[in-house]
């Protein structure tokens, strides 16, 4: 069942466009808005067209690293590149990541920039900001299973990892042990 947005409600007030240079424009598409870049930044309508590595996503560019690292090491590696573990702020950005890094994959998980290591149950992005309105937690997550799952990952497929079974993930988020080694997604935001 799809969500109906009342005509008097401006969908852009909920900031559906990722990236600090994004501009939301009401209308234009079947979802009721389009995302473009502010003046002075690439004018790609990135919710429909984006080629990884050639144009920033309204001030953001993304890279996937498949060499496994613990969450803290992945965070440090991103920072050494002038980036951060990816901060997913909207369904548009989440769909982009799924399409770009998870599409066609079966049984993969990558670290994202979420953690509740500082305070249990208080999820923060690596830039220190609290998890906002948009979330995409998988079913029954976050669950802190075994009392030691404090780092976020994005997952696709059905598979076993670290002695746990995961079923039917379709780009949803999961909390997992931070000391487990996974690939990761970095996001670089233009100054």
């Amino acid at each position: 069942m799809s969500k109906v947005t009342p005509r008097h409600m401006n969908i852009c007030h909920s900031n559906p466009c990722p990236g600090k240079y994004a501009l939301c424009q009401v209308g234009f598409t079947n979802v009721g808005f389009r995302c473009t870049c502010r003046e002075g930044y690439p004018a790609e309508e990135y919710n429909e067209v984006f080629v990884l590595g050639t144009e920033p996503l309204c001030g953001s560019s993304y890279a996937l690293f498949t060499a496994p690292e613990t969450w803290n090491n992945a965070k440090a590696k991103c920072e050494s590149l002038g980036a951060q573990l990816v901060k997913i702020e909207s369904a548009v950005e989440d769909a982009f990541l799924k399409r770009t890094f998870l599409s066609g994959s079966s049984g993969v998980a990558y670290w994202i920039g979420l953690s509740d290591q500082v305070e249990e149950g208080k999820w923060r992005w690596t830039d220190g900001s609290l998890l906002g309105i948009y979330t995409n937690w998988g079913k029954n997550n976050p669950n802190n299973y075994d009392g030691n799952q404090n780092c976020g990952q994005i997952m696709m497929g059905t598979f076993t990892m670290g002695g746990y079974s995961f079923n039917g993930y379709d780009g949803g988020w999961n909390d997992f042990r931070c000391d487990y080694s996974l690939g990761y997604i970095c996001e670089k935001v233009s100054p």
Side-chain angles (χ1 to χ4, degrees):
M1 181 181 230
S2 61
K3 184 177 178 183
V4 176
T5 303
R7 287 182 180 229
H8 65 276
M9 184 177 170
N10 183 338
I11 189 69
C12 289
H13 286 165
S14 65
N15 296 322
C17 302
K20 72 181 190 178
Y21 301 109
L23 178 64
C24 180
Q25 296 176 325
V26 176
F28 300 100
T29 68
N30 62 348
V31 294
F33 70 95
R34 73 176 179 185
C35 299
T36 60
C37 294
R38 294 186 192 282
E39 190 175 327
Y41 291 87
E44 297 288 335
E45 291 182 16
Y46 60 85
N47 56 332
E48 297 174 16
V49 179
F50 179 79
V51 178
L52 179 65
T54 60
E55 296 289 339
L57 187 63
C58 281
S60 292
S61 57
Y62 304 86
L64 171 68
F65 296 89
T66 57
E69 297 286 350
T70 64
W71 188 89
N72 286 314
N73 285 347
K75 178 180 178 287
K77 296 253 180 167
C78 289
E79 289 170 352
S80 76
L81 299 170
Q84 63 186 11
L85 280 172
V86 67
K87 178 181 180 181
I88 307 169
E89 299 178 88
S90 72
V92 172
E93 187 173 24
D94 215 358
F96 164 78
L97 295 170
K98 180 179 169 184
R99 191 172 57 248
T100 304
F101 300 120
L102 302 175
S103 182
S105 299
S106 178
V108 296
Y110 300 114
W111 290 127
I112 61 174
L114 271 178
S115 168
D116 72 346
Q117 294 180 90
V118 173
E119 184 179 342
E120 181 60 39
K122 197 170 224 176
W123 289 89
R124 293 185 179 274
W125 295 104
T126 55
D127 67 2
S129 63
L130 286 171
L131 178 60
I133 295 171
Y134 179 76
T135 67
N136 190 21
W137 291 111
K139 185 178 180 181
N140 300 321
N141 279 296
N143 59 18
N144 197 30
Y145 192 77
D146 286 340
N148 66 350
Q149 295 187 337
N150 298 308
C151 292
Q153 56 186 197
I154 189 170
M155 303 172 66
M156 178 66 80
T158 298
F159 55 100
T160 301
M161 178 178 66
Y164 301 96
S165 293
F166 300 96
N167 297 302
Y169 272 81
D170 188 26
W173 307 348
N174 179 58
D175 57 330
F176 205 66
R177 296 185 346 244
C178 301
D179 62 348
Y180 197 80
S181 292
L182 297 173
Y184 52 99
I185 303 171
C186 295
E187 177 182 8
K188 191 171 193 174
V189 179
S190 298

